[in-house]
Amino acid sequence: MTAPRRWILAMAAALMTAGCSSSPDAAPPASVPASSSPSPSASTARPSATPTSPFCLDLSLFQMGVIAYSAEVGAAIEGEPLDFKELRRKAALIADTGEPMRASAPPDIAEEFRTVLKAIDTSVSNLKSGANANDVLDPVYGERNRPAFDAVENYDCGGGDS
């Protein structure tokens, strides 16, 4: 079946793209010396953007879910039928992961993050028998929301420039 395989491929791609910020090869944040660990006062400038914030702890999972949902919806571009049940399941997982993250979203990504949550909710709400594929595709791939998807997909809590 193609949906589980597509899900696995999307997850693998997301993992390879996102990397793991706690890996030994990861570079330390530019603002924190490599020889010291960040103190609570060092994170006061952007408390919600620290790698240990609720937002950042779940960001990779959220990004993978969004990539998987986008890939599944994108199959309609090539004329493949949409799996309504699978898309609803993925959208529910994204919402379950994203809603608790909303409160601690860093200011430099908060608006884009809310846009992505709303766009996926809009997309999945258009999954109805007889619905036009564009009604499902446009919230995810349309010009208005695509920059927010790109920003969230590329966001890194590891202390890179914001």
Side-chain angles (χ1 to χ4, degrees):
M1 178 156 225
T2 62
R5 186 170 186 212
R6 197 175 303 132
W7 172 258
I8 291 168
L9 291 174
M11 295 289 266
L15 286 171
M16 290 174 18
T17 302
C20 181
S21 63
S22 63
S23 70
D25 297 331
S31 62
V32 178
S35 61
S36 69
S37 55
S39 67
S41 62
S43 63
T44 56
R46 288 180 50 199
S48 61
T50 63
T52 58
S53 72
F55 178 87
C56 292
L57 289 174
D58 288 335
L59 180 60
S60 291
L61 177 64
F62 183 82
Q63 289 169 323
M64 288 185 288
V66 169
I67 289 169
Y69 183 87
S70 298
E72 185 93 14
V73 167
I77 294 171
E78 297 184 20
E80 291 185 36
L82 296 174
D83 183 343
F84 287 19
K85 184 177 178 182
E86 184 64 14
L87 284 168
R88 286 187 184 111
R89 186 184 72 76
K90 287 177 182 169
L93 290 171
I94 292 166
D96 289 347
T97 303
E99 283 305 320
M101 294 170 65
R102 186 188 296 255
S104 64
D108 60 341
I109 195 70
E111 183 178 341
E112 290 88 351
F113 184 75
R114 287 189 302 269
T115 298
V116 168
L117 282 173
K118 185 175 183 200
I120 290 175
D121 184 55
T122 301
S123 174
V124 78
S125 71
N126 289 329
L127 287 172
K128 301 172 190 160
S129 187
N132 183 335
N134 285 335
D135 294 338
V136 178
L137 283 165
D138 190 53
V140 178
Y141 286 99
E143 284 182 27
R144 192 174 89 193
N145 295 334
R146 198 65 230 166
F149 276 82
D150 293 342
V152 169
E153 181 180 326
N154 294 315
Y155 193 78
D156 180 14
C157 289
D161 294 334
S162 40

